[in-house]
mmCIF file with all atom_site columns, all heavy atoms in Angstrom:
data_model
loop_
_atom_site.group_PDB
_atom_site.id
_atom_site.type_symbol
_atom_site.label_atom_id
_atom_site.label_alt_id
_atom_site.label_comp_id
_atom_site.label_asym_id
_atom_site.label_entity_id
_atom_site.label_seq_id
_atom_site.pdbx_PDB_ins_code
_atom_site.Cartn_x
_atom_site.Cartn_y
_atom_site.Cartn_z
_atom_site.occupancy
_atom_site.B_iso_or_equiv
_atom_site.pdbx_formal_charge
_atom_site.auth_seq_id
_atom_site.auth_comp_id
_atom_site.auth_asym_id
_atom_site.auth_atom_id
_atom_site.pdbx_PDB_model_num
ATOM 1   N N   . SER A 1 1  ? -8.146  -0.429  27.209 1.00 0.00 ? 1  SER A N   1
ATOM 2   C CA  . SER A 1 1  ? -6.872  -0.526  26.619 1.00 0.00 ? 1  SER A CA  1
ATOM 3   C C   . SER A 1 1  ? -6.238  0.775   26.580 1.00 0.00 ? 1  SER A C   1
ATOM 4   O O   . SER A 1 1  ? -5.734  1.281   25.498 1.00 0.00 ? 1  SER A O   1
ATOM 5   C CB  . SER A 1 1  ? -7.053  -1.144  25.165 1.00 0.00 ? 1  SER A CB  1
ATOM 6   O OG  . SER A 1 1  ? -7.621  -2.369  25.189 1.00 0.00 ? 1  SER A OG  1
ATOM 7   N N   . GLY A 1 2  ? -6.208  1.619   27.627 1.00 0.00 ? 2  GLY A N   1
ATOM 8   C CA  . GLY A 1 2  ? -5.574  2.807   27.760 1.00 0.00 ? 2  GLY A CA  1
ATOM 9   C C   . GLY A 1 2  ? -6.317  4.034   27.227 1.00 0.00 ? 2  GLY A C   1
ATOM 10  O O   . GLY A 1 2  ? -5.840  5.115   27.248 1.00 0.00 ? 2  GLY A O   1
ATOM 11  N N   . VAL A 1 3  ? -7.535  3.786   26.682 1.00 0.00 ? 3  VAL A N   1
ATOM 12  C CA  . VAL A 1 3  ? -8.338  4.932   26.191 1.00 0.00 ? 3  VAL A CA  1
ATOM 13  C C   . VAL A 1 3  ? -9.455  5.187   27.148 1.00 0.00 ? 3  VAL A C   1
ATOM 14  O O   . VAL A 1 3  ? -10.149 4.204   27.446 1.00 0.00 ? 3  VAL A O   1
ATOM 15  C CB  . VAL A 1 3  ? -8.845  4.732   24.856 1.00 0.00 ? 3  VAL A CB  1
ATOM 16  C CG1 . VAL A 1 3  ? -9.713  5.878   24.271 1.00 0.00 ? 3  VAL A CG1 1
ATOM 17  C CG2 . VAL A 1 3  ? -7.712  4.380   23.885 1.00 0.00 ? 3  VAL A CG2 1
ATOM 18  N N   . SER A 1 4  ? -9.779  6.359   27.572 1.00 0.00 ? 4  SER A N   1
ATOM 19  C CA  . SER A 1 4  ? -10.672 6.622   28.570 1.00 0.00 ? 4  SER A CA  1
ATOM 20  C C   . SER A 1 4  ? -12.106 7.037   27.916 1.00 0.00 ? 4  SER A C   1
ATOM 21  O O   . SER A 1 4  ? -12.086 7.797   26.979 1.00 0.00 ? 4  SER A O   1
ATOM 22  C CB  . SER A 1 4  ? -10.204 7.827   29.431 1.00 0.00 ? 4  SER A CB  1
ATOM 23  O OG  . SER A 1 4  ? -11.208 8.104   30.462 1.00 0.00 ? 4  SER A OG  1
ATOM 24  N N   . TYR A 1 5  ? -13.118 6.507   28.387 1.00 0.00 ? 5  TYR A N   1
ATOM 25  C CA  . TYR A 1 5  ? -14.457 6.735   27.941 1.00 0.00 ? 5  TYR A CA  1
ATOM 26  C C   . TYR A 1 5  ? -15.393 6.927   29.122 1.00 0.00 ? 5  TYR A C   1
ATOM 27  O O   . TYR A 1 5  ? -15.296 6.367   30.176 1.00 0.00 ? 5  TYR A O   1
ATOM 28  C CB  . TYR A 1 5  ? -15.068 5.504   27.112 1.00 0.00 ? 5  TYR A CB  1
ATOM 29  C CG  . TYR A 1 5  ? -14.231 5.158   25.964 1.00 0.00 ? 5  TYR A CG  1
ATOM 30  C CD1 . TYR A 1 5  ? -13.131 4.189   26.100 1.00 0.00 ? 5  TYR A CD1 1
ATOM 31  C CD2 . TYR A 1 5  ? -14.430 5.761   24.715 1.00 0.00 ? 5  TYR A CD2 1
ATOM 32  C CE1 . TYR A 1 5  ? -12.405 3.893   24.949 1.00 0.00 ? 5  TYR A CE1 1
ATOM 33  C CE2 . TYR A 1 5  ? -13.723 5.389   23.581 1.00 0.00 ? 5  TYR A CE2 1
ATOM 34  C CZ  . TYR A 1 5  ? -12.690 4.430   23.697 1.00 0.00 ? 5  TYR A CZ  1
ATOM 35  O OH  . TYR A 1 5  ? -11.878 4.084   22.678 1.00 0.00 ? 5  TYR A OH  1
ATOM 36  N N   . PRO A 1 6  ? -16.434 7.793   28.951 1.00 0.00 ? 6  PRO A N   1
ATOM 37  C CA  . PRO A 1 6  ? -17.359 7.952   30.032 1.00 0.00 ? 6  PRO A CA  1
ATOM 38  C C   . PRO A 1 6  ? -18.072 6.667   30.293 1.00 0.00 ? 6  PRO A C   1
ATOM 39  O O   . PRO A 1 6  ? -18.508 6.029   29.417 1.00 0.00 ? 6  PRO A O   1
ATOM 40  C CB  . PRO A 1 6  ? -18.342 9.029   29.415 1.00 0.00 ? 6  PRO A CB  1
ATOM 41  C CG  . PRO A 1 6  ? -17.561 9.736   28.366 1.00 0.00 ? 6  PRO A CG  1
ATOM 42  C CD  . PRO A 1 6  ? -16.591 8.748   27.898 1.00 0.00 ? 6  PRO A CD  1
ATOM 43  N N   . SER A 1 7  ? -18.211 6.215   31.525 1.00 0.00 ? 7  SER A N   1
ATOM 44  C CA  . SER A 1 7  ? -18.734 4.958   31.889 1.00 0.00 ? 7  SER A CA  1
ATOM 45  C C   . SER A 1 7  ? -20.173 4.655   31.377 1.00 0.00 ? 7  SER A C   1
ATOM 46  O O   . SER A 1 7  ? -20.503 3.695   31.148 1.00 0.00 ? 7  SER A O   1
ATOM 47  C CB  . SER A 1 7  ? -18.677 4.704   33.428 1.00 0.00 ? 7  SER A CB  1
ATOM 48  O OG  . SER A 1 7  ? -19.453 5.632   34.075 1.00 0.00 ? 7  SER A OG  1
ATOM 49  N N   . ALA A 1 8  ? -20.913 5.702   31.281 1.00 0.00 ? 8  ALA A N   1
ATOM 50  C CA  . ALA A 1 8  ? -22.297 5.567   30.863 1.00 0.00 ? 8  ALA A CA  1
ATOM 51  C C   . ALA A 1 8  ? -22.477 5.178   29.501 1.00 0.00 ? 8  ALA A C   1
ATOM 52  O O   . ALA A 1 8  ? -23.524 4.657   29.079 1.00 0.00 ? 8  ALA A O   1
ATOM 53  C CB  . ALA A 1 8  ? -23.109 6.844   31.091 1.00 0.00 ? 8  ALA A CB  1
ATOM 54  N N   . TYR A 1 9  ? -21.364 5.176   28.615 1.00 0.00 ? 9  TYR A N   1
ATOM 55  C CA  . TYR A 1 9  ? -21.552 4.874   27.253 1.00 0.00 ? 9  TYR A CA  1
ATOM 56  C C   . TYR A 1 9  ? -20.734 3.665   26.864 1.00 0.00 ? 9  TYR A C   1
ATOM 57  O O   . TYR A 1 9  ? -20.596 3.358   25.742 1.00 0.00 ? 9  TYR A O   1
ATOM 58  C CB  . TYR A 1 9  ? -20.942 6.133   26.387 1.00 0.00 ? 9  TYR A CB  1
ATOM 59  C CG  . TYR A 1 9  ? -21.796 7.318   26.545 1.00 0.00 ? 9  TYR A CG  1
ATOM 60  C CD1 . TYR A 1 9  ? -21.465 8.314   27.481 1.00 0.00 ? 9  TYR A CD1 1
ATOM 61  C CD2 . TYR A 1 9  ? -22.879 7.491   25.676 1.00 0.00 ? 9  TYR A CD2 1
ATOM 62  C CE1 . TYR A 1 9  ? -22.334 9.363   27.606 1.00 0.00 ? 9  TYR A CE1 1
ATOM 63  C CE2 . TYR A 1 9  ? -23.673 8.516   25.779 1.00 0.00 ? 9  TYR A CE2 1
ATOM 64  C CZ  . TYR A 1 9  ? -23.410 9.542   26.675 1.00 0.00 ? 9  TYR A CZ  1
ATOM 65  O OH  . TYR A 1 9  ? -24.172 10.649  26.897 1.00 0.00 ? 9  TYR A OH  1
ATOM 66  N N   . VAL A 1 10 ? -20.239 2.907   27.890 1.00 0.00 ? 10 VAL A N   1
ATOM 67  C CA  . VAL A 1 10 ? -19.565 1.627   27.586 1.00 0.00 ? 10 VAL A CA  1
ATOM 68  C C   . VAL A 1 10 ? -20.404 0.485   27.752 1.00 0.00 ? 10 VAL A C   1
ATOM 69  O O   . VAL A 1 10 ? -21.103 0.309   28.770 1.00 0.00 ? 10 VAL A O   1
ATOM 70  C CB  . VAL A 1 10 ? -18.289 1.514   28.417 1.00 0.00 ? 10 VAL A CB  1
ATOM 71  C CG1 . VAL A 1 10 ? -17.586 0.176   28.238 1.00 0.00 ? 10 VAL A CG1 1
ATOM 72  C CG2 . VAL A 1 10 ? -17.309 2.704   28.106 1.00 0.00 ? 10 VAL A CG2 1
ATOM 73  N N   . ASN A 1 11 ? -20.497 -0.364  26.714 1.00 0.00 ? 11 ASN A N   1
ATOM 74  C CA  . ASN A 1 11 ? -21.237 -1.559  26.790 1.00 0.00 ? 11 ASN A CA  1
ATOM 75  C C   . ASN A 1 11 ? -20.481 -2.716  27.407 1.00 0.00 ? 11 ASN A C   1
ATOM 76  O O   . ASN A 1 11 ? -19.534 -3.225  26.816 1.00 0.00 ? 11 ASN A O   1
ATOM 77  C CB  . ASN A 1 11 ? -21.670 -1.987  25.346 1.00 0.00 ? 11 ASN A CB  1
ATOM 78  C CG  . ASN A 1 11 ? -22.661 -3.203  25.391 1.00 0.00 ? 11 ASN A CG  1
ATOM 79  O OD1 . ASN A 1 11 ? -22.811 -3.853  26.321 1.00 0.00 ? 11 ASN A OD1 1
ATOM 80  N ND2 . ASN A 1 11 ? -22.994 -3.544  24.152 1.00 0.00 ? 11 ASN A ND2 1
ATOM 81  N N   . MET A 1 12 ? -20.808 -3.038  28.630 1.00 0.00 ? 12 MET A N   1
ATOM 82  C CA  . MET A 1 12 ? -19.988 -4.058  29.444 1.00 0.00 ? 12 MET A CA  1
ATOM 83  C C   . MET A 1 12 ? -20.429 -5.509  29.028 1.00 0.00 ? 12 MET A C   1
ATOM 84  O O   . MET A 1 12 ? -19.763 -6.394  29.358 1.00 0.00 ? 12 MET A O   1
ATOM 85  C CB  . MET A 1 12 ? -20.221 -3.903  30.847 1.00 0.00 ? 12 MET A CB  1
ATOM 86  C CG  . MET A 1 12 ? -19.640 -2.597  31.454 1.00 0.00 ? 12 MET A CG  1
ATOM 87  S SD  . MET A 1 12 ? -17.810 -2.636  31.476 1.00 0.00 ? 12 MET A SD  1
ATOM 88  C CE  . MET A 1 12 ? -17.538 -3.826  32.612 1.00 0.00 ? 12 MET A CE  1
ATOM 89  N N   . THR A 1 13 ? -21.476 -5.637  28.377 1.00 0.00 ? 13 THR A N   1
ATOM 90  C CA  . THR A 1 13 ? -21.995 -7.007  27.946 1.00 0.00 ? 13 THR A CA  1
ATOM 91  C C   . THR A 1 13 ? -21.295 -7.552  26.663 1.00 0.00 ? 13 THR A C   1
ATOM 92  O O   . THR A 1 13 ? -21.321 -7.015  25.620 1.00 0.00 ? 13 THR A O   1
ATOM 93  C CB  . THR A 1 13 ? -23.463 -7.019  27.661 1.00 0.00 ? 13 THR A CB  1
ATOM 94  O OG1 . THR A 1 13 ? -24.076 -6.450  28.799 1.00 0.00 ? 13 THR A OG1 1
ATOM 95  C CG2 . THR A 1 13 ? -24.063 -8.312  27.478 1.00 0.00 ? 13 THR A CG2 1
ATOM 96  N N   . PRO A 1 14 ? -20.444 -8.652  26.855 1.00 0.00 ? 14 PRO A N   1
ATOM 97  C CA  . PRO A 1 14 ? -19.814 -9.184  25.727 1.00 0.00 ? 14 PRO A CA  1
ATOM 98  C C   . PRO A 1 14 ? -20.841 -9.774  24.788 1.00 0.00 ? 14 PRO A C   1
ATOM 99  O O   . PRO A 1 14 ? -21.985 -10.166 25.197 1.00 0.00 ? 14 PRO A O   1
ATOM 100 C CB  . PRO A 1 14 ? -18.968 -10.380 26.358 1.00 0.00 ? 14 PRO A CB  1
ATOM 101 C CG  . PRO A 1 14 ? -19.722 -10.722 27.543 1.00 0.00 ? 14 PRO A CG  1
ATOM 102 C CD  . PRO A 1 14 ? -20.313 -9.480  28.143 1.00 0.00 ? 14 PRO A CD  1
ATOM 103 N N   . PRO A 1 15 ? -20.527 -9.795  23.469 1.00 0.00 ? 15 PRO A N   1
ATOM 104 C CA  . PRO A 1 15 ? -21.534 -10.313 22.454 1.00 0.00 ? 15 PRO A CA  1
ATOM 105 C C   . PRO A 1 15 ? -21.810 -11.744 22.757 1.00 0.00 ? 15 PRO A C   1
ATOM 106 O O   . PRO A 1 15 ? -21.027 -12.559 23.082 1.00 0.00 ? 15 PRO A O   1
ATOM 107 C CB  . PRO A 1 15 ? -20.764 -10.147 21.133 1.00 0.00 ? 15 PRO A CB  1
ATOM 108 C CG  . PRO A 1 15 ? -19.343 -10.072 21.585 1.00 0.00 ? 15 PRO A CG  1
ATOM 109 C CD  . PRO A 1 15 ? -19.240 -9.438  22.836 1.00 0.00 ? 15 PRO A CD  1
ATOM 110 N N   . THR A 1 16 ? -23.063 -12.091 22.564 1.00 0.00 ? 16 THR A N   1
ATOM 111 C CA  . THR A 1 16 ? -23.501 -13.449 22.788 1.00 0.00 ? 16 THR A CA  1
ATOM 112 C C   . THR A 1 16 ? -23.302 -14.340 21.591 1.00 0.00 ? 16 THR A C   1
ATOM 113 O O   . THR A 1 16 ? -23.211 -15.602 21.752 1.00 0.00 ? 16 THR A O   1
ATOM 114 C CB  . THR A 1 16 ? -25.055 -13.531 23.150 1.00 0.00 ? 16 THR A CB  1
ATOM 115 O OG1 . THR A 1 16 ? -25.846 -12.883 22.066 1.00 0.00 ? 16 THR A OG1 1
ATOM 116 C CG2 . THR A 1 16 ? -25.322 -12.726 24.417 1.00 0.00 ? 16 THR A CG2 1
ATOM 117 N N   . ASP A 1 17 ? -23.067 -13.779 20.497 1.00 0.00 ? 17 ASP A N   1
ATOM 118 C CA  . ASP A 1 17 ? -22.959 -14.578 19.224 1.00 0.00 ? 17 ASP A CA  1
ATOM 119 C C   . ASP A 1 17 ? -21.929 -13.921 18.350 1.00 0.00 ? 17 ASP A C   1
ATOM 120 O O   . ASP A 1 17 ? -22.352 -13.179 17.265 1.00 0.00 ? 17 ASP A O   1
ATOM 121 C CB  . ASP A 1 17 ? -24.271 -14.729 18.470 1.00 0.00 ? 17 ASP A CB  1
ATOM 122 C CG  . ASP A 1 17 ? -24.162 -15.732 17.383 1.00 0.00 ? 17 ASP A CG  1
ATOM 123 O OD1 . ASP A 1 17 ? -23.164 -16.473 17.371 1.00 0.00 ? 17 ASP A OD1 1
ATOM 124 O OD2 . ASP A 1 17 ? -25.050 -15.709 16.439 1.00 0.00 ? 17 ASP A OD2 1
ATOM 125 N N   . ASN A 1 18 ? -20.747 -13.883 18.731 1.00 0.00 ? 18 ASN A N   1
ATOM 126 C CA  . ASN A 1 18 ? -19.645 -13.313 17.938 1.00 0.00 ? 18 ASN A CA  1
ATOM 127 C C   . ASN A 1 18 ? -19.444 -13.865 16.565 1.00 0.00 ? 18 ASN A C   1
ATOM 128 O O   . ASN A 1 18 ? -19.220 -15.166 16.435 1.00 0.00 ? 18 ASN A O   1
ATOM 129 C CB  . ASN A 1 18 ? -18.303 -13.260 18.783 1.00 0.00 ? 18 ASN A CB  1
ATOM 130 C CG  . ASN A 1 18 ? -17.340 -12.416 18.142 1.00 0.00 ? 18 ASN A CG  1
ATOM 131 O OD1 . ASN A 1 18 ? -17.580 -11.809 17.084 1.00 0.00 ? 18 ASN A OD1 1
ATOM 132 N ND2 . ASN A 1 18 ? -16.157 -12.264 18.717 1.00 0.00 ? 18 ASN A ND2 1
ATOM 133 N N   . LEU A 1 19 ? -19.601 -13.167 15.515 1.00 0.00 ? 19 LEU A N   1
ATOM 134 C CA  . LEU A 1 19 ? -19.455 -13.749 14.122 1.00 0.00 ? 19 LEU A CA  1
ATOM 135 C C   . LEU A 1 19 ? -18.103 -14.022 13.843 1.00 0.00 ? 19 LEU A C   1
ATOM 136 O O   . LEU A 1 19 ? -17.879 -14.839 13.034 1.00 0.00 ? 19 LEU A O   1
ATOM 137 C CB  . LEU A 1 19 ? -20.168 -12.707 13.143 1.00 0.00 ? 19 LEU A CB  1
ATOM 138 C CG  . LEU A 1 19 ? -21.593 -12.418 13.261 1.00 0.00 ? 19 LEU A CG  1
ATOM 139 C CD1 . LEU A 1 19 ? -21.935 -11.354 12.327 1.00 0.00 ? 19 LEU A CD1 1
ATOM 140 C CD2 . LEU A 1 19 ? -22.404 -13.613 13.107 1.00 0.00 ? 19 LEU A CD2 1
ATOM 141 N N   . TYR A 1 20 ? -17.232 -13.342 14.384 1.00 0.00 ? 20 TYR A N   1
ATOM 142 C CA  . TYR A 1 20 ? -15.707 -13.424 14.005 1.00 0.00 ? 20 TYR A CA  1
ATOM 143 C C   . TYR A 1 20 ? -14.986 -13.978 15.196 1.00 0.00 ? 20 TYR A C   1
ATOM 144 O O   . TYR A 1 20 ? -14.799 -13.437 16.265 1.00 0.00 ? 20 TYR A O   1
ATOM 145 C CB  . TYR A 1 20 ? -15.180 -12.046 13.677 1.00 0.00 ? 20 TYR A CB  1
ATOM 146 C CG  . TYR A 1 20 ? -15.929 -11.352 12.604 1.00 0.00 ? 20 TYR A CG  1
ATOM 147 C CD1 . TYR A 1 20 ? -17.080 -10.617 12.858 1.00 0.00 ? 20 TYR A CD1 1
ATOM 148 C CD2 . TYR A 1 20 ? -15.643 -11.618 11.199 1.00 0.00 ? 20 TYR A CD2 1
ATOM 149 C CE1 . TYR A 1 20 ? -17.815 -10.061 11.844 1.00 0.00 ? 20 TYR A CE1 1
ATOM 150 C CE2 . TYR A 1 20 ? -16.365 -11.024 10.230 1.00 0.00 ? 20 TYR A CE2 1
ATOM 151 C CZ  . TYR A 1 20 ? -17.428 -10.279 10.523 1.00 0.00 ? 20 TYR A CZ  1
ATOM 152 O OH  . TYR A 1 20 ? -18.157 -9.728  9.491  1.00 0.00 ? 20 TYR A OH  1
ATOM 153 N N   . GLN A 1 21 ? -14.536 -15.235 15.039 1.00 0.00 ? 21 GLN A N   1
ATOM 154 C CA  . GLN A 1 21 ? -13.781 -15.934 16.061 1.00 0.00 ? 21 GLN A CA  1
ATOM 155 C C   . GLN A 1 21 ? -12.614 -16.554 15.429 1.00 0.00 ? 21 GLN A C   1
ATOM 156 O O   . GLN A 1 21 ? -12.479 -16.747 14.212 1.00 0.00 ? 21 GLN A O   1
ATOM 157 C CB  . GLN A 1 21 ? -14.626 -16.956 16.739 1.00 0.00 ? 21 GLN A CB  1
ATOM 158 C CG  . GLN A 1 21 ? -15.859 -16.346 17.474 1.00 0.00 ? 21 GLN A CG  1
ATOM 159 C CD  . GLN A 1 21 ? -16.799 -17.490 17.982 1.00 0.00 ? 21 GLN A CD  1
ATOM 160 O OE1 . GLN A 1 21 ? -16.616 -18.568 17.705 1.00 0.00 ? 21 GLN A OE1 1
ATOM 161 N NE2 . GLN A 1 21 ? -17.731 -17.003 18.810 1.00 0.00 ? 21 GLN A NE2 1
ATOM 162 N N   . ASN A 1 22 ? -11.658 -16.939 16.342 1.00 0.00 ? 22 ASN A N   1
ATOM 163 C CA  . ASN A 1 22 ? -10.469 -17.698 15.949 1.00 0.00 ? 22 ASN A CA  1
ATOM 164 C C   . ASN A 1 22 ? -9.707  -16.981 14.854 1.00 0.00 ? 22 ASN A C   1
ATOM 165 O O   . ASN A 1 22 ? -9.527  -17.477 13.733 1.00 0.00 ? 22 ASN A O   1
ATOM 166 C CB  . ASN A 1 22 ? -10.812 -19.142 15.487 1.00 0.00 ? 22 ASN A CB  1
ATOM 167 C CG  . ASN A 1 22 ? -11.596 -19.830 16.562 1.00 0.00 ? 22 ASN A CG  1
ATOM 168 O OD1 . ASN A 1 22 ? -11.219 -19.729 17.654 1.00 0.00 ? 22 ASN A OD1 1
ATOM 169 N ND2 . ASN A 1 22 ? -12.525 -20.626 16.194 1.00 0.00 ? 22 ASN A ND2 1
ATOM 170 N N   . VAL A 1 23 ? -9.187  -15.798 15.095 1.00 0.00 ? 23 VAL A N   1
ATOM 171 C CA  . VAL A 1 23 ? -8.477  -14.971 14.164 1.00 0.00 ? 23 VAL A CA  1
ATOM 172 C C   . VAL A 1 23 ? -7.242  -15.674 13.802 1.00 0.00 ? 23 VAL A C   1
ATOM 173 O O   . VAL A 1 23 ? -6.486  -16.123 14.574 1.00 0.00 ? 23 VAL A O   1
ATOM 174 C CB  . VAL A 1 23 ? -8.206  -13.549 14.648 1.00 0.00 ? 23 VAL A CB  1
ATOM 175 C CG1 . VAL A 1 23 ? -7.410  -12.811 13.614 1.00 0.00 ? 23 VAL A CG1 1
ATOM 176 C CG2 . VAL A 1 23 ? -9.491  -12.799 15.091 1.00 0.00 ? 23 VAL A CG2 1
ATOM 177 N N   . ASN A 1 24 ? -7.005  -15.856 12.559 1.00 0.00 ? 24 ASN A N   1
ATOM 178 C CA  . ASN A 1 24 ? -5.816  -16.534 12.006 1.00 0.00 ? 24 ASN A CA  1
ATOM 179 C C   . ASN A 1 24 ? -5.248  -15.749 10.797 1.00 0.00 ? 24 ASN A C   1
ATOM 180 O O   . ASN A 1 24 ? -5.859  -15.799 9.710  1.00 0.00 ? 24 ASN A O   1
ATOM 181 C CB  . ASN A 1 24 ? -6.037  -17.990 11.634 1.00 0.00 ? 24 ASN A CB  1
ATOM 182 C CG  . ASN A 1 24 ? -4.807  -18.684 11.048 1.00 0.00 ? 24 ASN A CG  1
ATOM 183 O OD1 . ASN A 1 24 ? -3.787  -18.165 11.143 1.00 0.00 ? 24 ASN A OD1 1
ATOM 184 N ND2 . ASN A 1 24 ? -5.106  -19.840 10.287 1.00 0.00 ? 24 ASN A ND2 1
ATOM 185 N N   . PHE A 1 25 ? -4.209  -15.061 10.997 1.00 0.00 ? 25 PHE A N   1
ATOM 186 C CA  . PHE A 1 25 ? -3.705  -14.169 9.970  1.00 0.00 ? 25 PHE A CA  1
ATOM 187 C C   . PHE A 1 25 ? -2.735  -14.836 8.961  1.00 0.00 ? 25 PHE A C   1
ATOM 188 O O   . PHE A 1 25 ? -2.043  -14.139 8.229  1.00 0.00 ? 25 PHE A O   1
ATOM 189 C CB  . PHE A 1 25 ? -3.126  -12.892 10.556 1.00 0.00 ? 25 PHE A CB  1
ATOM 190 C CG  . PHE A 1 25 ? -4.127  -12.031 11.148 1.00 0.00 ? 25 PHE A CG  1
ATOM 191 C CD1 . PHE A 1 25 ? -4.228  -11.799 12.600 1.00 0.00 ? 25 PHE A CD1 1
ATOM 192 C CD2 . PHE A 1 25 ? -4.913  -11.252 10.379 1.00 0.00 ? 25 PHE A CD2 1
ATOM 193 C CE1 . PHE A 1 25 ? -5.125  -10.957 13.104 1.00 0.00 ? 25 PHE A CE1 1
ATOM 194 C CE2 . PHE A 1 25 ? -5.962  -10.429 10.950 1.00 0.00 ? 25 PHE A CE2 1
ATOM 195 C CZ  . PHE A 1 25 ? -5.978  -10.279 12.309 1.00 0.00 ? 25 PHE A CZ  1
ATOM 196 N N   . GLY A 1 26 ? -2.692  -16.182 9.102  1.00 0.00 ? 26 GLY A N   1
ATOM 197 C CA  . GLY A 1 26 ? -1.784  -16.832 8.197  1.00 0.00 ? 26 GLY A CA  1
ATOM 198 C C   . GLY A 1 26 ? -2.423  -17.003 6.778  1.00 0.00 ? 26 GLY A C   1
ATOM 199 O O   . GLY A 1 26 ? -3.539  -16.491 6.529  1.00 0.00 ? 26 GLY A O   1
ATOM 200 N N   . THR A 1 27 ? -1.614  -17.478 5.881  1.00 0.00 ? 27 THR A N   1
ATOM 201 C CA  . THR A 1 27 ? -2.116  -17.685 4.466  1.00 0.00 ? 27 THR A CA  1
ATOM 202 C C   . THR A 1 27 ? -3.260  -18.535 4.346  1.00 0.00 ? 27 THR A C   1
ATOM 203 O O   . THR A 1 27 ? -3.267  -19.638 5.021  1.00 0.00 ? 27 THR A O   1
ATOM 204 C CB  . THR A 1 27 ? -0.974  -18.129 3.599  1.00 0.00 ? 27 THR A CB  1
ATOM 205 O OG1 . THR A 1 27 ? 0.155   -17.193 3.703  1.00 0.00 ? 27 THR A OG1 1
ATOM 206 C CG2 . THR A 1 27 ? -1.350  -18.249 2.178  1.00 0.00 ? 27 THR A CG2 1
ATOM 207 N N   . ILE A 1 28 ? -4.313  -18.203 3.526  1.00 0.00 ? 28 ILE A N   1
ATOM 208 C CA  . ILE A 1 28 ? -5.361  -19.125 3.358  1.00 0.00 ? 28 ILE A CA  1
ATOM 209 C C   . ILE A 1 28 ? -4.845  -20.030 2.194  1.00 0.00 ? 28 ILE A C   1
ATOM 210 O O   . ILE A 1 28 ? -4.717  -19.661 1.131  1.00 0.00 ? 28 ILE A O   1
ATOM 211 C CB  . ILE A 1 28 ? -6.630  -18.356 2.930  1.00 0.00 ? 28 ILE A CB  1
ATOM 212 C CG1 . ILE A 1 28 ? -7.062  -17.494 4.161  1.00 0.00 ? 28 ILE A CG1 1
ATOM 213 C CG2 . ILE A 1 28 ? -7.790  -19.340 2.573  1.00 0.00 ? 28 ILE A CG2 1
ATOM 214 C CD1 . ILE A 1 28 ? -8.278  -16.589 3.752  1.00 0.00 ? 28 ILE A CD1 1
ATOM 215 N N   . SER A 1 29 ? -4.875  -21.380 2.477  1.00 0.00 ? 29 SER A N   1
ATOM 216 C CA  . SER A 1 29 ? -4.397  -22.337 1.445  1.00 0.00 ? 29 SER A CA  1
ATOM 217 C C   . SER A 1 29 ? -5.559  -22.899 0.746  1.00 0.00 ? 29 SER A C   1
ATOM 218 O O   . SER A 1 29 ? -6.756  -22.790 0.922  1.00 0.00 ? 29 SER A O   1
ATOM 219 C CB  . SER A 1 29 ? -3.571  -23.425 2.283  1.00 0.00 ? 29 SER A CB  1
ATOM 220 O OG  . SER A 1 29 ? -4.518  -24.127 3.028  1.00 0.00 ? 29 SER A OG  1
ATOM 221 N N   . ALA A 1 30 ? -5.171  -23.773 -0.287 1.00 0.00 ? 30 ALA A N   1
ATOM 222 C CA  . ALA A 1 30 ? -6.103  -24.439 -1.081 1.00 0.00 ? 30 ALA A CA  1
ATOM 223 C C   . ALA A 1 30 ? -6.977  -25.378 -0.232 1.00 0.00 ? 30 ALA A C   1
ATOM 224 O O   . ALA A 1 30 ? -8.120  -25.559 -0.510 1.00 0.00 ? 30 ALA A O   1
ATOM 225 C CB  . ALA A 1 30 ? -5.436  -25.209 -2.219 1.00 0.00 ? 30 ALA A CB  1
ATOM 226 N N   . GLY A 1 31 ? -6.272  -25.974 0.760  1.00 0.00 ? 31 GLY A N   1
ATOM 227 C CA  . GLY A 1 31 ? -7.016  -26.958 1.605  1.00 0.00 ? 31 GLY A CA  1
ATOM 228 C C   . GLY A 1 31 ? -8.181  -26.234 2.410  1.00 0.00 ? 31 GLY A C   1
ATOM 229 O O   . GLY A 1 31 ? -9.218  -26.750 2.573  1.00 0.00 ? 31 GLY A O   1
ATOM 230 N N   . GLU A 1 32 ? -7.883  -24.957 2.811  1.00 0.00 ? 32 GLU A N   1
ATOM 231 C CA  . GLU A 1 32 ? -8.909  -24.224 3.434  1.00 0.00 ? 32 GLU A CA  1
ATOM 232 C C   . GLU A 1 32 ? -10.036 -23.736 2.520  1.00 0.00 ? 32 GLU A C   1
ATOM 233 O O   . GLU A 1 32 ? -11.125 -23.594 2.942  1.00 0.00 ? 32 GLU A O   1
ATOM 234 C CB  . GLU A 1 32 ? -8.332  -23.021 4.212  1.00 0.00 ? 32 GLU A CB  1
ATOM 235 C CG  . GLU A 1 32 ? -7.382  -23.379 5.330  1.00 0.00 ? 32 GLU A CG  1
ATOM 236 C CD  . GLU A 1 32 ? -6.639  -22.239 5.985  1.00 0.00 ? 32 GLU A CD  1
ATOM 237 O OE1 . GLU A 1 32 ? -5.712  -21.626 5.228  1.00 0.00 ? 32 GLU A OE1 1
ATOM 238 O OE2 . GLU A 1 32 ? -7.052  -21.781 7.018  1.00 0.00 ? 32 GLU A OE2 1
ATOM 239 N N   . LEU A 1 33 ? -9.578  -23.425 1.307  1.00 0.00 ? 33 LEU A N   1
ATOM 240 C CA  . LEU A 1 33 ? -10.647 -23.052 0.308  1.00 0.00 ? 33 LEU A CA  1
ATOM 241 C C   . LEU A 1 33 ? -11.548 -24.184 -0.078 1.00 0.00 ? 33 LEU A C   1
ATOM 242 O O   . LEU A 1 33 ? -12.764 -24.033 -0.373 1.00 0.00 ? 33 LEU A O   1
ATOM 243 C CB  . LEU A 1 33 ? -9.989  -22.505 -0.915 1.00 0.00 ? 33 LEU A CB  1
ATOM 244 C CG  . LEU A 1 33 ? -9.247  -21.143 -0.854 1.00 0.00 ? 33 LEU A CG  1
ATOM 245 C CD1 . LEU A 1 33 ? -8.589  -20.796 -2.147 1.00 0.00 ? 33 LEU A CD1 1
ATOM 246 C CD2 . LEU A 1 33 ? -10.265 -20.033 -0.517 1.00 0.00 ? 33 LEU A CD2 1
#
């Protein structure tokens, strides 16, 4: 994303079990609670 890092230090493997998915920055309603 436009920032340069030494290649030896970059983890190219995507996480196998991402804890945080489906980001939704809308209001959390009573129905969701």
